[in-house]
Amino acid sequence: MAAVTIDSVLQNPTLLFRPKAKVMLKPPRSLDCSRNRKLPLSRGSCFCSFNPRRTIHVVRASSSETALIGNFDTSSSDDIFYKDIFPVKRIEKVEGKFFIRLDRSKDQHDWQLTVGCSLPGKWILHWGVSYLGDSGSEWDQPPKGMRPPGSIPIKDYAIETPLKKLSEGDIFHEVKIDFNPSSEIAAIHFVLKDEETGAWYQHRGMDFKVPLVDYLEDDGNTVGAKRGFGVWSGALQQFSNVLLKSEASHADSQNNSIESKDSKNKNRCLEGFYEEQSIVKEVSVGNLVSVAVRKSPETGKVIVCLETDIPGDVVVHWGVCRDDAKIWEIPSAPYPPETTVFKNKALRTLLQPKATGNRSGALFTLDEEHFGFLFVLKLDDNTWLKFKENDFYVPLLGTSSVPGQYGQSDITTEEISSKSYTDGIINEIRNLVSGLSSEKSQKTKTKEVQESILQEIEQLAAEAYSIFRSSITTVPEEVVSETETTKPAVKISSGTGTGFEILCQGFNWESHKSGRWYMELKEKASEISSLGFTVIWLPPPTESVSPEGYMPKDLYNLNSRYGTIAELKELVKSLHEVGMKVLGDVVLNHRCAHFKNQNGVWNIFGGRLNWDDRAVVADDPHFQGRGNKSSGDNFHAAPNIDHSQEFVRKDLKEWLGWLREEIGYDGWRLDFVRGFWGGYVKDYLEASEPYFAVGEYWDSLSYTYGEMDHNQDSHRQRIVDWINATNGTAGAFDVTTKGILHSALERCEYWRLSDKKGKPPGVVGWWPSRAVTFIENHDTGSTQGHWRFPGGKEMQGYAYILTHPGTPAVFYDHIFSHHRSEIANLISVRNRNGIHCRSLVKIVKAERDVYAAIIDEKVAMKIGPGYYEPPSGSQRWSLALEGRDYKVWETS
Amino acid sequence: MEVSAIRSCSQATNLKTELGFKDSRFSFGKFNEKLFFRKPNSVSFQSPLRRGKSWLRITAQAAQSDPLPKSKSSTKSKTLNRVRLFAGLPLDVVSGGTVNQFRAISAGLKALKLLGLEGVELPIWWGVVEHESMGKYDWSGYLTIAEMVRKAGLKLHVTLCFHASSQPKIPLPEWVLDIGKTKSNIFFKDQAGKPYRGCLSLAVDELAVLNGKTPMQVYQDFCESFKSAFSAFIGSTIMGITMGLGPDGELRYPSHRGFAKSDTVPGAGEFQCYDKNMLHLLKQHAEACGKPKWGLGGPHDAPANSELPTANTFFKDHGGSWESPYGDFFLSWYSSQLIAHGDRLLSLASSVFSDSAVNIFGKVPLMHSWHGTRSHPSELTAGFYNTATRKGYEEVAEMFARNSCKIILPGMDQSDKYQLKESLSSPESLLAEIGTACNKHGVGISGQNSTIGAPDGLKQIKKNMLSENLNDSFIFQRIGAQFFAPEHFPLFIEFVRKLNQPELHSGNLPTKEGTTTATDSVHTRSNLSIHMQSA
């Protein structure tokens, strides 16, 4: 788990800041206009993280570790009994300029758009065009002739072209795009991306748009440089600035396109322009903080040497403690120079610059009876460097070998380096455990720890199980009789249901249109159930600003475009009658307001949950929330709910309970869970005790120059992290698997379906019981098609997810299509062979044109045009199903 | 363990009040008390004196490396965690000097540690270690396991297996089987003369049949070699050693051949006194008793292996031969041979490990089918002269007590309710019978579940763990795919949590009291342990 690394947060003293990568909103339902919606934004605030690399408790003379330590003012290091160096990562802001220039190329015939940037970095122009007559706001690929050398097409709508320095001496990285003004192009759109940091630079939250149409003589100006940003543009104006990283140097008001002032010139010639903007890039800077403790042989005093290469004034805010309780005390004088007493609680010492290099440091001389030395670093008025949101702690007693958190973290990091992923979790739990026991923990916390340990145990057991399973060659006779005689009770947990669930997504993006979806679905209830589905996911039921239901307003008003509350109850009842569990789609991240505040901002709620602006997160200036900062990513179209507020959580828990009671929902599909901390989800799930719950944690996969990376571990790690934050009380949609299937099927690269450990490459390979696999949903497919599964390959996708572990989800549109009977057959193979969410998958082939696997030694499958037949060994395989580029066998 | 008993004794007052406090709420507090008072009478005094220091140091360590219990609600909770729980490692965890499924084992160990188990049981096979030739030992794979277990912060219970396993197939050492090819009389034989190749006949214990050495000498060499190879672990990681005593490691004759199936009525079993050496011993004994004619063979009217007891007249409830003077003569001899064999092996183990801080265990089978008849045919053929009129386990328990060994009883998952009616079986009453005998002689009891499993097994185990049938430990048999399977493991977690449940409430106790009892708790725990096995 990534969380094992010890993060320390440089935090603003008043606002707790979570070190999370902010990624811009996801595609579905977002009100953004262009197709390249997944533009991660860099953050404005700065944060530090460091990992204590290792602790050397007894140091013998030479340590080549780093030059820094050599600079201590110690004549001999023999008596150093404690020494440590922390690499510290700070984020510094670097300011620079970038420009956009439109002018005539040298031959005076064509025109040229030049974009340049003065900051160092690996800059990429991510761009596309719109053609005359395009009504929407989507991008298109520019014609081939327009693409500068080195350009890479991204899907069918964009180009990425790297910016280059023309010569070594140049300050600016540039890219030039030549185009013919008489072409059909209406505008050029672009954003700037820094490959080094993955940051995207936009213009007022939108693409940069250079309109060309107004200037084209024979075309008239029908299209014009209007704000072509869709129906939501009004609302958009409110929040678009939030995304802004670059400030236009001129005060451009409502228009987000860059135009030359004189747009009335209806001439064959375009008007050239040049515009410069300032740009801020966050550069991570590595620094070191080193601490060494030695005992002066002459005076018997303990001397703490602290040194760092952090530039500027660094103030050490320090004290000592007597015991493990780590209560700050002020030691007796003398103190180092430039020391002041801070509120009688601590001392503040300004580190003095060293003669050598640009370092600063201080020596603290202390009496030897002190137990430990505590400190935090203060970099400027509101930037503090702490250790894991705690004080730095340095043991002073040479005998206490590894006291305190210091020692633990040390052990943790050392172990991580050598061991695998699961070890990390254990260590984390151990840390948690020892951390808690030392502070004489409260019962509630203990319970949480227990839960997380159980979670961990389950995971380890699953791992052990899968390996043991794979190595069983023959099933001994008596084991069979055992399974027959003992009838294990199925354990149901909200993360997995029974473990044998098959999910049906019971709607698409158009389902609201008839106004009677509940009734239509009711007629299909028994049909859906007969196909083998055990769980159905219904659309969001609340009153909503958007007809699809994802912009909820009054949570207690369940009359929606899908039908009335009475009809919903009726539907749930019929679904229960045919033996299905029902998931409600709950939108907890955001909520549309009823009223404006005194500034005219929509952030006051009405209805039964008449919250005020304290329920809205503070870090989205467009809604002027007075809550805390968001614990996740913000969804920018509506006020994001601040889940850290007790009253909000209480109300939401009550609401979920009401939905369970009143409507009879059995569980939840949780919308946009990237928007808030998984721990709150855990809270909600424990309160509402669902039968099954699945969260939508959707962010983009890793691509390098438009080609998806084979290794998507960081992507699935983020999803697994979220599941872990919920303590495994919820599963999550396996977006990773969908993404990898896309590439594998579309490009005939079936080798992608095995990770480097020979396991499935998605979430399902790491935490199968919590992975809800799917190939399409209302956002990716349907009439939105944000990320549509490769056409014609759907059945290969289903052959994969319906034979593999994880809990498969099938999209409504596919069930009621020509795929129906094939899907039904796959489901019956799954059920017949008892494949469940933890089934063991053995990948037997992952080659260019074929992928094959054997699941639980009962089912064999292959997808892809290549050849595969299961081995004719001890097991006898018979073909169960066959379709276009897939086959499924079962043991006979 | 012994030391802990002594220490507990000196601190009894302190502890008693503590337990008394809990008594009002938890039924088994009483039991703990009893245990402490019983202990000192039973266990030899020599060892504590000799081992005192090292033991104390060890318990402290044990307490330290124990994340889950610690985390639960501070140290005081341990006091109630009376029976130590172990899980058996797969039978074939080591083959050919290497550890099989290394990663699975390592993940499994972590899971068990987090679950709060005391340790794992490791079967060490004669046929693996001394596979090639006599006196040539390969401990490497097992040493790797011991190291893994130590690192995981778990304890190790070692079972020295001088028998063979049929599933997975682990035969006796090759060189022993080679000898057996020409001298089939080193094996037990049934009436039909069919040899049992799963272990050596007890009749050859003291005969130099193995390249000039007696099996007892070979066993002793094996134990000595084990002791020196594992010296770094014995007393710190390895806290218990089970000495293999016969078929499946159990003290018995191989009277029931073939698989035990839960859905068929088992036969009575067959007397196994037909190898040349057994017959010779019988003849000698008969002559010494002045009844030479009785020494010519086994009972003529006993049924064959898979036949029901009623197939012949020996086991008849009324007027069966078993009640005749001949019956008494034969059964006394037959069972005393078995007990003498057990005595030889356990005293061997006790002396080899006398200077190590480990407990020695021996396993006694739970021959529960036909227990409802007067003659208890299954027990008789297995070598236990225990009938409606004779308490046969007294001698067995006495033998264990004499050697300061603890007893392992399998089948703790079996409940009367689920037995086939036709087999007149009663695992529960047999268990109680053996338990009574052990308690009388102060023999500690460690439990195991049966290989074949049982419906509601975990429930039954829990019931036994809270009863007097079990007071040392429980070894759950056995980890592997089945154990970690989604249909089993969650139940096991539940089982372990339920065992520990009272601890959660103990969080209400005043902190001070908790800390004083913390040290004692370790001892309490050490008196009881559970081992999970199915061998």
Side-chain angles (χ1 to χ4, degrees):
Chain A
M1 227 106 293
V4 183
T5 52
I6 291 101
D7 283 337
S8 94
V9 181
L10 236 192
Q11 55 183 16
N12 181 306
T14 52
L15 297 171
L16 181 67
F17 180 77
R18 283 167 208 278
K20 265 198 177 177
K22 288 245 169 152
V23 185
M24 216 192 81
L25 34 152
K26 57 159 194 171
R29 304 183 306 279
S30 79
L31 310 164
D32 208 346
C33 48
S34 66
R35 268 158 113 175
N36 61 326
R37 287 173 168 89
K38 287 174 228 158
L39 303 184
L41 259 201
S42 65
R43 304 186 339 267
S45 339
C46 78
F47 81 97
C48 292
S49 69
F50 72 70
N51 307 309
R53 207 157 36 201
R54 57 209 193 93
T55 312
I56 309 154
H57 299 295
V58 182
V59 177
R60 296 287 162 230
S62 79
S63 157
S64 57
E65 168 68 16
T66 123
L68 195 61
I69 208 76
N71 286 323
F72 279 121
D73 300 329
T74 47
S75 48
S76 102
S77 52
D78 281 348
D79 40 25
I80 291 183
F81 60 82
Y82 177 93
K83 181 156 130 182
D84 204 349
I85 296 174
F86 311 93
V88 180
K89 229 189 191 172
R90 293 180 304 123
I91 304 281
E92 268 186 4
K93 287 183 182 179
V94 183
E95 284 198 29
K97 278 180 184 170
F98 92 107
F99 69 83
I100 305 158
R101 186 175 62 227
L102 184 66
D103 57 10
R104 219 176 259 275
S105 62
K106 283 164 193 140
D107 57 12
Q108 294 294 304
H109 204 77
D110 281 358
W111 282 74
Q112 191 174 54
L113 178 72
T114 312
V115 178
C117 179
S118 71
L119 283 176
K122 207 170 151 193
W123 296 100
I124 304 284
L125 192 75
H126 181 95
W127 62 286
V129 298
S130 49
Y131 288 98
L132 294 177
D134 279 358
S135 53
S137 53
E138 311 215 317
W139 294 11
D140 278 306
Q141 294 278 28
K144 286 233 162 64
M146 213 171 140
R147 306 178 192 176
S151 297
I152 288 148
I154 304 296
K155 302 272 173 62
D156 56 347
Y157 59 82
I159 290 287
E160 287 197 341
T161 310
L163 275 67
K164 288 180 189 139
K165 283 190 179 181
L166 295 179
S167 70
E168 269 307 300
D170 276 4
I171 306 167
F172 283 91
H173 295 72
E174 285 184 9
V175 63
K176 292 184 193 298
I177 298 166
D178 294 308
F179 62 95
N180 183 338
S182 58
S183 69
E184 295 288 286
I185 295 166
I188 298 174
H189 307 259
F190 66 89
V191 292
L192 204 56
K193 176 178 156 191
D194 183 6
E195 286 268 289
E196 270 178 9
T197 59
W200 296 80
Y201 296 86
Q202 293 172 283
H203 180 63
R204 306 190 77 80
M206 308 258 175
D207 317 327
F208 292 92
K209 179 180 171 190
V210 180
L212 310 174
V213 278
D214 268 330
Y215 309 99
L216 290 171
E217 174 186 68
D218 51 345
D219 199 54
N221 52 2
T222 46
V223 180
K226 291 176 189 165
R227 303 202 309 267
F229 285 81
V231 283
W232 286 94
S233 60
L236 258 173
Q237 289 307 326
Q238 288 190 345
F239 62 80
S240 58
N241 284 338
V242 189
L243 302 178
L244 250 193
K245 281 307 298 173
S246 58
E247 298 287 335
S249 55
H250 63 280
D252 184 36
S253 60
Q254 290 295 296
N255 202 325
N256 55 5
S257 51
I258 298 160
E259 303 166 47
S260 83
K261 302 280 183 289
D262 181 11
S263 61
K264 288 181 181 151
N265 184 354
K266 292 186 185 180
N267 193 304
R268 188 173 277 273
C269 300
L270 280 167
E271 189 76 13
F273 69 86
Y274 176 83
E275 197 167 294
E276 229 175 59
Q277 298 199 2
S278 68
I279 183 167
V280 177
K281 180 183 171 178
E282 289 167 351
V283 185
S284 80
V285 183
N287 290 110
L288 296 171
V289 175
S290 60
V291 182
V293 184
R294 69 184 169 93
K295 202 165 185 177
S296 162
E298 301 86 39
T299 60
K301 297 225 172 191
V302 172
I303 300 168
V304 178
C305 306
L306 196 147
E307 224 179 280
T308 180
D309 59 351
I310 298 171
D313 286 350
V314 180
V315 171
V316 184
H317 188 95
W318 62 282
V320 292
C321 62
R322 288 179 192 281
D323 51 33
D324 254 343
K326 295 181 191 146
I327 297 161
W328 285 59
E329 281 180 28
I330 295 182
S332 52
Y335 306 134
E338 297 271 6
T339 298
T340 54
V341 178
F342 177 75
K343 292 183 179 170
N344 266 334
K345 282 178 186 161
L347 295 164
R348 284 184 161 179
T349 303
L350 178 69
L351 294 184
Q352 300 298 312
K354 294 267 164 183
T356 52
N358 34 15
R359 283 183 248 280
S360 53
L363 287 181
F364 305 88
T365 307
L366 302 163
D367 290 333
E368 65 178 325
E369 82 269 6
H370 296 300
F371 187 82
F373 179 77
L374 299 160
F375 71 96
V376 294
L377 295 176
K378 189 164 171 289
L379 301 192
D380 55 52
D381 276 347
N382 51 11
T383 313
W384 293 80
L385 177 56
K386 289 184 138 197
F387 179 90
K388 217 177 164 186
E389 300 188 22
N390 269 313
D391 309 326
F392 284 91
Y393 172 70
V394 176
L396 293 182
L397 296 179
T399 46
S400 57
S401 52
V402 245
Q405 2 162 285
Y406 207 99
Q408 287 156 16
S409 64
D410 174 42
I411 291 161
T412 313
T413 36
E414 270 180 22
E415 285 183 10
I416 290 164
S417 61
S418 59
K419 289 185 198 165
S420 66
Y421 148 85
T422 40
D423 294 31
I425 310 168
I426 291 209
N427 290 324
E428 190 184 20
I429 289 167
R430 286 206 182 123
N431 273 350
L432 203 60
V433 170
S434 38
L436 285 174
S437 60
S438 69
E439 64 187 42
K440 305 221 181 342
S441 65
Q442 312 86 325
K443 267 168 109 184
T444 48
K445 282 221 173 169
T446 312
K447 207 181 155 199
E448 273 171 35
V449 172
Q450 273 187 312
E451 287 305 317
S452 67
I453 290 175
L454 282 175
Q455 192 61 50
E456 168 58 17
I457 290 170
E458 198 191 7
Q459 212 175 329
L460 286 165
E463 188 187 341
Y465 174 60
S466 66
I467 303 167
F468 279 129
R469 278 303 295 257
S470 63
S471 47
I472 291 178
T473 43
T474 52
V475 180
E477 214 182 333
E478 69 271 20
V479 174
V480 174
S481 68
E482 180 181 4
T483 44
E484 280 165 2
T485 47
T486 57
K487 291 185 197 82
V490 179
K491 197 191 168 199
I492 293 166
S493 83
S494 59
T496 58
T498 58
F500 293 87
E501 309 296 351
I502 301 175
L503 206 122
C504 160
Q505 178 175 3
F507 64 101
N508 61 28
W509 197 243
E510 304 298 313
S511 297
H512 64 90
K513 289 207 167 137
S514 69
R516 51 185 306 275
W517 182 251
Y518 292 149
M519 289 299 99
E520 289 168 25
L521 200 57
K522 190 186 153 201
E523 282 156 30
K524 295 198 166 85
S526 60
E527 189 180 349
I528 293 170
S529 162
S530 69
L531 292 173
F533 292 101
T534 60
V535 178
I536 186 166
W537 155 23
L538 298 185
T542 57
E543 177 201 21
S544 165
V545 171
S546 63
E548 298 86 8
Y550 288 100
M551 299 286 279
K553 202 169 161 191
D554 181 353
L555 298 186
Y556 280 93
N557 180 353
L558 299 191
N559 297 311
S560 69
R561 302 287 278 272
Y562 298 101
T564 64
I565 182 168
E567 289 168 338
L568 175 58
K569 284 186 194 171
E570 214 180 309
L571 168 63
V572 171
K573 190 164 160 269
S574 346
L575 288 166
H576 283 164
E577 275 163 10
V578 296
M580 293 179 74
K581 302 286 178 185
V582 182
L583 304 188
D585 196 329
V586 289
V587 182
L588 300 176
N589 176 68
H590 51 268
R591 184 182 164 198
C592 295
H594 290 69
F595 312 107
K596 294 181 191 175
N597 68 1
Q598 69 277 11
N599 303 331
V601 171
W602 292 92
N603 67 7
I604 309 289
F605 301 93
R608 182 160 150 191
L609 303 180
N610 52 349
W611 303 332
D612 60 12
D613 50 5
R614 285 174 303 142
V616 177
V617 296
D619 44 358
D620 189 343
H622 280 89
F623 295 105
Q624 299 179 2
R626 287 199 296 126
N628 292 314
K629 280 197 173 185
S630 174
S631 56
D633 301 323
N634 276 341
F635 175 75
H636 294 280
N640 281 238
I641 295 171
D642 178 11
H643 294 263
S644 69
Q645 303 285 0
E646 189 77 38
F647 71 93
V648 169
R649 287 209 304 280
K650 182 179 152 284
D651 282 351
L652 289 178
K653 281 186 238 176
E654 217 173 279
W655 177 60
L656 292 171
W658 176 77
L659 288 177
R660 290 270 278 143
E661 279 285 302
E662 188 69 18
I663 307 302
Y665 282 125
D666 302 289
W668 317 118
R669 180 267 183 188
L670 300 147
D671 185 59
F672 199 77
V673 293
R674 262 174 54 212
F676 53 104
W677 179 45
Y680 296 131
V681 171
K682 171 177 172 267
D683 204 13
Y684 298 139
L685 295 184
E686 281 173 0
S688 58
E689 299 180 318
Y691 169 89
F692 188 85
V694 54
E696 179 209 28
Y697 192 98
W698 183 0
D699 64 3
S700 56
L701 282 75
S702 333
Y703 292 85
T704 305
Y705 282 115
E707 190 155 318
M708 196 179 81
D709 296 342
H710 177 212
N711 183 336
Q712 294 292 347
D713 286 356
S714 59
H715 185 261
R716 56 174 163 170
Q717 181 71 66
R718 288 193 292 274
I719 298 175
V720 165
D721 284 349
W722 178 81
I723 302 170
N724 211 38
T726 72
N727 248 309
T729 53
F733 287 111
D734 190 349
V735 184
T736 321
T737 291
K738 172 171 162 71
I740 290 167
L741 280 170
H742 274 235
S743 290
L745 270 50
E746 206 163 33
R747 310 160 64 118
C748 196
E749 294 175 343
Y750 290 86
W751 50 268
R752 288 180 182 273
L753 290 170
S754 173
D755 71 7
K756 58 180 186 286
K757 287 184 178 162
K759 285 175 149 194
V763 178
V764 73
W766 275 357
W767 202 343
S769 66
R770 299 297 186 273
V772 177
T773 49
F774 72 108
I775 69 163
E776 206 79 289
N777 62 30
H778 59 286
D779 285 329
T780 65
S782 191
T783 47
Q784 296 199 92
H786 287 307
W787 194 32
R788 200 179 294 284
F789 201 74
K793 319 250 182 188
E794 292 88 353
M795 283 317 301
Q796 286 188 62
Y798 281 123
Y800 182 89
I801 68 169
L802 285 169
T803 55
H804 277 54
T807 301
V810 181
F811 184 40
Y812 186 85
D813 289 4
H814 293 150
I815 300 169
F816 293 95
S817 74
H818 60 282
H819 298 312
R820 184 193 152 116
S821 65
E822 283 180 89
I823 289 172
N825 289 339
L826 281 168
I827 292 176
S828 67
V829 168
R830 185 180 182 88
N831 285 337
R832 192 156 65 228
N833 289 284
I835 293 176
H836 50 87
C837 67
R838 293 183 184 84
S839 281
L840 177 87
V841 52
K842 196 172 111 204
I843 297 176
V844 287
K845 246 186 184 184
E847 293 166 9
R848 186 189 62 84
D849 60 352
V850 63
Y851 166 87
I854 294 175
I855 298 91
D856 276 355
E857 309 196 339
K858 291 182 213 152
V859 171
M861 59 82 70
K862 76 124 196 179
I863 53 174
Y867 171 82
Y868 171 78
E869 286 289 328
S872 51
S874 53
Q875 288 158 306
R876 284 190 35 232
W877 295 100
S878 59
L879 187 64
L881 283 175
E882 190 174 2
R884 191 175 151 197
D885 287 341
Y886 76 90
K887 278 186 180 180
V888 179
W889 298 262
E890 52 194 341
T891 49
S892 46
Chain B
M1 294 324 145
E2 291 86 322
V3 180
S4 67
I6 302 298
R7 274 196 48 136
S8 314
C9 203
S10 63
Q11 293 168 350
T13 353
N14 171 11
L15 196 82
K16 233 172 79 187
T17 47
E18 214 276 313
L19 289 168
F21 180 38
K22 288 174 184 173
D23 256 348
S24 54
R25 289 183 298 164
F26 310 119
S27 55
F28 52 80
K30 195 174 133 210
F31 173 70
N32 271 344
E33 222 174 318
K34 207 170 183 178
L35 187 74
F36 285 119
F37 290 125
R38 196 187 64 231
K39 259 332 220 207
N41 316 332
S42 60
V43 188
S44 63
F45 279 83
Q46 84 249 20
S47 32
L49 298 173
R50 232 179 315 138
R51 301 173 197 168
K53 263 188 181 166
S54 69
W55 176 256
L56 291 176
R57 182 175 49 76
I58 288 152
T59 46
Q61 274 180 0
Q64 243 174 25
S65 56
D66 217 351
L68 187 57
K70 220 180 188 176
S71 72
K72 271 187 195 149
S73 60
S74 77
T75 44
K76 56 188 164 279
S77 56
K78 284 186 193 169
T79 319
L80 288 175
N81 194 0
R82 27 172 239 107
V83 175
R84 293 174 296 132
L85 188 59
F86 286 77
L89 290 170
L91 292 173
D92 57 352
V93 65
V94 169
S95 56
T98 55
V99 176
N100 296 319
Q101 299 127 3
F102 184 89
R103 278 193 51 228
I105 299 291
S106 121
L109 288 178
K110 280 173 205 150
L112 297 176
K113 177 66 183 172
L114 287 173
L115 203 47
L117 263 66
E118 175 80 8
V120 290
E121 181 264 358
L122 170 67
I124 294 186
W125 298 90
W126 187 23
V128 170
V129 175
E130 203 177 352
H131 171 71
E132 234 173 87
S133 60
M134 193 168 88
K136 193 177 161 197
Y137 308 101
D138 177 8
W139 300 104
S140 55
Y142 294 113
L143 282 165
T144 310
I145 298 273
E147 184 57 27
M148 286 167 79
V149 171
R150 190 185 63 78
K151 275 196 180 144
L154 290 164
K155 296 291 175 213
L156 194 56
H157 183 110
V158 166
T159 302
L160 300 178
C161 305
F162 296 110
H163 60 276
S165 158
S166 53
Q167 187 58 250
K169 203 165 173 49
I170 305 170
L172 292 182
E174 224 169 76
W175 58 274
V176 174
L177 291 177
D178 280 347
I179 293 169
K181 274 177 196 158
T182 50
K183 298 190 217 165
S184 67
N185 283 305
I186 63 171
F187 299 120
F188 287 111
K189 283 182 181 174
D190 62 14
Q191 204 164 357
K194 204 175 146 212
Y196 172 78
R197 292 198 162 79
C199 67
L200 298 182
S201 165
L202 60 85
V204 298
D205 276 355
E206 309 275 26
L207 301 178
V209 292
L210 300 177
N211 301 332
K213 284 196 175 185
T214 67
M216 286 303 291
Q217 284 170 326
V218 171
Y219 298 149
Q220 173 149 11
D221 292 347
F222 187 89
C223 291
E224 301 274 11
S225 172
F226 166 79
K227 190 184 160 192
S228 73
F230 287 81
S231 56
F233 298 100
I234 293 174
S236 53
T237 297
I238 298 173
M239 307 303 293
I241 296 171
T242 297
M243 191 68 182
L245 301 177
D248 290 341
E250 295 173 341
L251 180 67
R252 65 172 168 92
Y253 291 93
S255 52
H256 288 77
R257 306 241 186 127
F259 285 126
K261 280 194 182 169
S262 51
D263 54 346
T264 49
V265 179
E270 191 174 353
F271 291 112
Q272 308 283 321
C273 57
Y274 297 95
D275 68 79
K276 203 181 78 191
N277 302 301
M278 282 296 283
L279 286 172
H280 179 70
L281 290 173
L282 176 60
K283 190 162 175 257
Q284 280 183 328
H285 178 67
E287 280 162 5
C289 293
K291 304 275 184 189
K293 281 188 179 171
W294 286 355
L296 299 177
H300 68 282
D301 56 350
N305 178 32
S306 53
E307 285 178 339
L308 297 182
T310 47
N312 216 322
T313 50
F314 188 85
F315 297 117
K316 253 177 36 182
D317 251 3
H318 295 283
S321 313
W322 64 275
E323 276 187 300
S324 68
Y326 166 74
D328 181 54
F329 156 81
F330 177 78
L331 294 170
S332 305
W333 169 79
Y334 189 69
S335 64
S336 67
Q337 288 299 312
L338 184 69
I339 289 169
H341 166 75
D343 193 26
R344 280 192 291 271
L345 282 169
L346 290 177
S347 72
L348 180 158
S350 291
S351 76
V352 169
F353 297 107
S354 61
D355 54 350
S356 317
V358 288
N359 284 293
I360 308 296
F361 293 77
K363 189 166 152 198
V364 168
L366 195 68
M367 308 303 296
H368 57 77
S369 53
W370 307 112
H371 191 74
T373 63
R374 289 186 67 237
S375 58
H376 303 178
S378 292
E379 289 162 67
L380 294 184
T381 54
F384 297 93
Y385 190 7
N386 186 54
T387 64
T389 52
R390 188 178 189 278
K391 291 195 184 310
Y393 290 99
E394 293 280 328
E395 304 148 28
V396 178
E398 196 269 330
M399 184 269 286
F400 272 83
R402 193 161 61 235
N403 290 298
S404 311
C405 292
K406 300 190 181 204
I407 211 163
I408 292 181
L409 290 178
M412 294 255 177
D413 53 339
Q414 301 286 342
S415 52
D416 289 359
K417 193 164 64 173
Y418 293 104
Q419 300 304 317
L420 292 169
K421 279 213 178 68
E422 302 82 357
S423 71
L424 301 170
S425 174
S426 176
E428 291 177 45
S429 53
L430 177 55
L431 203 56
E433 233 172 87
I434 303 176
T436 309
C438 288
N439 287 346
K440 189 172 161 196
H441 291 272
V443 175
I445 305 172
S446 171
Q448 280 188 11
N449 49 324
S450 56
T451 340
I452 53 167
D456 279 345
L458 291 171
K459 210 167 129 192
Q460 185 66 21
I461 292 169
K462 192 184 162 200
K463 192 174 145 196
N464 277 317
M465 285 174 83
L466 302 179
S467 77
E468 292 190 19
N469 295 337
L470 193 52
N471 55 30
D472 180 89
S473 53
F474 190 90
I475 309 180
F476 193 90
Q477 299 296 18
R478 172 177 290 287
I479 74 171
Q482 281 285 324
F483 179 80
F484 287 113
E487 54 273 11
H488 174 267
F489 196 69
L491 299 176
F492 184 74
I493 292 182
E494 201 52 36
F495 162 72
V496 176
R497 292 191 88 190
K498 284 226 176 91
L499 285 180
N500 295 329
Q501 224 162 30
E503 298 178 16
L504 298 178
H505 305 288
S506 67
N508 297 330
L509 295 172
T511 331
K512 212 172 174 193
E513 195 165 353
T515 39
T516 48
T517 55
T519 42
D520 302 323
S521 65
V522 179
H523 308 299
T524 316
R525 282 154 52 84
S526 64
N527 281 322
L528 307 153
S529 59
I530 299 210
H531 301 238
M532 298 178 95
Q533 280 174 243
S534 60

